[in-house]
Amino acid sequence: MIADKEYEILELLKVPHSTEAGYRMLLKEFQEQLYWQIRKLVIDHDDAHDVLQNVFVKVFKGIKNFKGDSKLSSWLYRIAYNESMTFLTKKKKQLQISDAELQAHLVEQIEADVYFTGDEIQFALQKALAQLPKRQSEIFKMRYYDEVKFKDIANLLELSEGAVKSSYHIAAKKIEQFIKED
């Protein structure tokens, strides 16, 4: 189903008189999904919207260069991931803090977020994720929340599939331990 939509979007974008319809369809099809992928990484609702805008600016500027070597959704996810990481790096520099301090800052944002509607277990999971090393957290979120295949995570992060599997399982054990102790 999604492959048909992706093909339709790409075909609309190729023809000058249907480009605008292609962009509208692209937004309709992927905006919410990308927002939630970004939100899991940057945590804050407003930050996620800012990053999402940057993602679509990059997509609109770069869609002509999309070669079709991967699925459109994979290409979009990679851009969203990279923009999220760039945003977090800038935030860390702006606040002049370390990775660990940034993770603590993100936990504080979860606690203060009026849009966070999770229960105690979800909050504990978010706190546990914030305690993980950045790479383990990223891998766990992609696999657990988005059900991204290990192979696709490995391609996205330019790691071996074995390294991704190992990192995911270590992260899961750390999360389980954190939640038990919390």
Side-chain angles (χ1 to χ4, degrees):
M1 173 87 166
I2 192 79
D4 294 339
K5 284 278 189 190
E6 290 185 14
Y7 177 79
E8 186 178 348
I9 291 167
L10 291 169
E11 288 302 307
L12 287 170
L13 291 171
K14 286 181 185 176
V15 183
H17 74 276
S18 65
T19 302
E20 188 177 323
Y23 284 133
R24 277 197 307 274
M25 187 179 234
L26 178 78
L27 281 170
K28 182 181 177 217
E29 196 65 34
F30 293 104
Q31 187 171 9
E32 185 175 348
Q33 176 187 356
L34 291 175
Y35 166 81
W36 286 108
Q37 289 170 343
I38 293 166
R39 176 83 186 266
K40 289 171 197 151
L41 295 170
V42 303
I43 306 300
D44 183 74
H45 169 74
D46 293 328
D47 291 344
H49 273 289
D50 291 345
V51 173
L52 183 63
Q53 286 180 344
N54 292 342
V55 167
F56 279 111
V57 166
K58 285 208 171 189
V59 167
F60 294 158
K61 286 181 179 179
I63 194 75
K64 294 180 273 320
N65 301 324
F66 178 69
K67 294 177 178 64
D69 297 340
S70 63
K71 295 188 313 185
L72 178 62
S73 54
S74 297
W75 183 70
L76 294 169
Y77 188 87
R78 180 180 291 270
I79 293 170
Y81 174 81
N82 289 339
E83 283 299 303
S84 298
M85 293 300 102
T86 299
F87 173 83
L88 290 173
T89 299
K90 285 180 184 175
K91 188 169 198 157
K92 187 173 71 171
K93 286 180 183 174
Q94 177 188 15
L95 297 173
Q96 297 180 339
I97 57 177
S98 68
D99 280 338
E101 291 168 319
L102 177 62
Q103 292 304 319
H105 177 74
L106 294 176
V107 168
E108 290 170 14
Q109 283 185 299
I110 293 168
E111 291 173 339
D113 188 353
V114 295
Y115 296 105
F116 184 77
T117 58
D119 58 20
E120 280 184 48
I121 293 171
Q122 290 171 324
F123 183 69
L125 177 58
Q126 290 301 317
K127 282 177 63 176
L129 284 167
Q131 304 299 318
L132 294 176
K134 186 173 146 184
R135 183 58 55 133
Q136 284 179 0
S137 176
E138 294 164 2
I139 290 170
F140 186 87
K141 288 174 185 177
M142 283 187 258
R143 180 72 180 157
Y144 181 79
Y145 289 119
D146 300 325
E147 299 176 355
V148 178
K149 294 177 183 166
F150 287 121
K151 181 178 127 186
D152 295 336
I153 296 170
N155 288 335
L156 178 66
L157 300 179
E158 298 175 345
L159 297 169
S160 72
E161 191 173 340
V164 170
K165 286 179 180 179
S166 174
S167 189
Y168 174 80
H169 292 294
I170 291 169
K173 287 191 184 303
K174 286 180 180 179
I175 288 168
E176 181 180 349
Q177 188 66 33
F178 178 86
I179 289 174
K180 283 180 182 176
E181 291 174 2
D182 192 35

